[in-house]
Amino acid sequence: MSTVNITLNHRPTNTKSGLTRASFLYNQSDRDAGNQWLYLDRDKDIDIPLLPNDYLIIHGGENIFADDTNFDIGENPNLRKPVCFRFNDKSMEADKAKLTGHELRKLDTKLESSKLFADLSGQADAMIQDDWMLVVQEKDGYFTIPAGDGETIDIEECARAERRPPKGQKCYRIKIDGGKYKVDQPSLTGQEILGLVQKNYREWTLNQKLHGGRRKPIEAEQMVDFSQPGVERFETVKKQAQQGTCV
């Protein structure tokens, strides 16, 4: 997680980037929401009140300040002009300052059951719960994947739904030949993948089968990132013996 600079109560402040709960910013600014709210400054538009339980993606450069609570605009004001953000790599607009995770997730009309993630640059993507209230900004990106089961990311399901798997997750499920295997890290070498099915490169080769049918050979020491889009499964191929040796 990287550190970025924001303006907090008119002072340059270093803080963590990525999906952040507003209560963290209240602690940084030494403010009590019962007396003053924090606001996100929007140029030529309504400043957005940040309640302690709200979430926002900190990109760097945000101007956040404390001011008297303005009950006239409410906790989730209508904007003068819509905010544009990315959703499943398409441009979307929101007229409200904040959307719930459920409202964002339901923008995907293709997947009936899905999980919602914040697309975070340079760090692990963050899964968002339905009941979270998110302040939506122009730099934000969100995407959905098939719901699957639990927190394990099934890369075959993602490929078939034409969604890229979220990066940096703890658990992925990969398919090798006909079986599925749970791995607890975001990448493995080709040899480590073959080892999951008790095979080695002396006798076997390993391919990635990509969405659309294309196959890509994987070398023994080549690192495979499970967050790369389009990977449906892995397949092993027996090397042909020539003159008593394996080639």
Side-chain angles (χ1 to χ4, degrees):
M1 185 175 296
S2 60
T3 299
V4 295
N5 188 263
I6 65 172
T7 300
L8 186 59
N9 277 343
H10 312 292
R11 297 174 58 182
T13 303
N14 290 324
T15 192
K16 61 182 181 180
S17 64
L19 188 64
T20 303
R21 195 172 182 178
S23 58
F24 174 79
L25 298 169
Y26 276 91
N27 291 335
Q28 271 196 303
S29 62
D30 195 27
R31 286 295 188 276
D32 180 356
N35 298 318
Q36 285 187 318
W37 280 351
L38 291 179
Y39 291 82
L40 175 66
D41 177 47
R42 287 196 79 220
D43 187 34
K44 298 179 182 179
D45 210 320
I46 295 172
D47 296 326
I48 301 174
L50 304 178
L51 276 65
N53 287 332
D54 290 343
Y55 288 82
L56 72 161
I57 300 175
I58 297 292
H59 301 276
E62 287 85 358
N63 179 22
I64 297 169
F65 62 93
D67 203 351
D68 292 338
T69 303
N70 185 351
F71 292 105
D72 291 337
I73 67 170
E75 298 178 358
N76 187 13
N78 291 313
L79 301 174
R80 294 191 182 100
K81 62 178 182 178
V83 59
C84 296
F85 62 97
R86 288 181 299 108
F87 182 81
N88 285 339
D89 293 325
K90 295 180 180 179
S91 179
M92 291 283 187
E93 291 186 348
D95 296 319
K96 300 287 286 185
K98 307 173 189 178
L99 296 173
T100 65
H102 180 264
E103 289 171 326
L104 278 166
R105 188 170 59 81
K106 286 303 180 181
L107 293 174
D108 185 350
T109 58
K110 181 179 179 181
L111 295 177
E112 293 184 4
S113 179
S114 61
K115 295 175 182 175
L116 175 69
F117 282 82
D119 186 1
L120 303 180
S121 177
Q123 57 184 285
D125 296 323
M127 189 164 69
I128 295 170
Q129 303 298 325
D130 271 0
D131 59 350
W132 290 3
M133 184 69 78
L134 292 111
V135 178
V136 181
Q137 301 187 76
E138 285 81 358
K139 293 181 181 180
D140 288 359
Y142 303 92
F143 65 97
T144 52
I145 65 168
D149 60 326
E151 295 187 1
T152 302
I153 308 301
D154 191 310
I155 66 171
E156 181 186 34
E157 289 183 6
C158 291
R160 288 182 175 178
E162 298 182 335
R163 300 283 189 269
R164 73 163 180 85
K167 58 184 181 292
Q169 304 306 297
K170 293 181 179 179
C171 295
Y172 292 86
R173 183 175 289 111
I174 63 175
K175 188 173 185 180
I176 310 172
D177 296 330
K180 292 206 172 184
Y181 300 84
K182 183 177 177 180
V183 295
D184 58 0
Q185 54 196 91
S187 59
L188 292 175
T189 65
Q191 184 59 67
E192 288 170 331
I193 294 172
L194 268 185
L196 294 173
V197 289
Q198 289 78 51
K199 295 179 181 180
N200 60 68
Y201 271 87
R202 186 173 59 84
E203 300 175 359
W204 298 84
T205 59
L206 178 70
N207 295 328
Q208 277 182 342
K209 183 178 182 294
L210 303 175
H211 188 59
R214 187 168 64 89
R215 285 165 171 77
K216 176 183 176 183
I218 303 298
E219 301 299 328
E221 299 305 318
Q222 182 177 341
M223 190 64 71
V224 178
D225 181 355
F226 300 129
S227 69
Q228 292 300 303
V231 179
E232 286 193 351
R233 62 181 173 87
F234 299 88
E235 62 181 11
T236 63
V237 180
K238 181 77 171 180
K239 290 183 178 180
Q240 299 297 316
Q242 292 184 358
Q243 298 179 349
T245 61
C246 293
V247 298

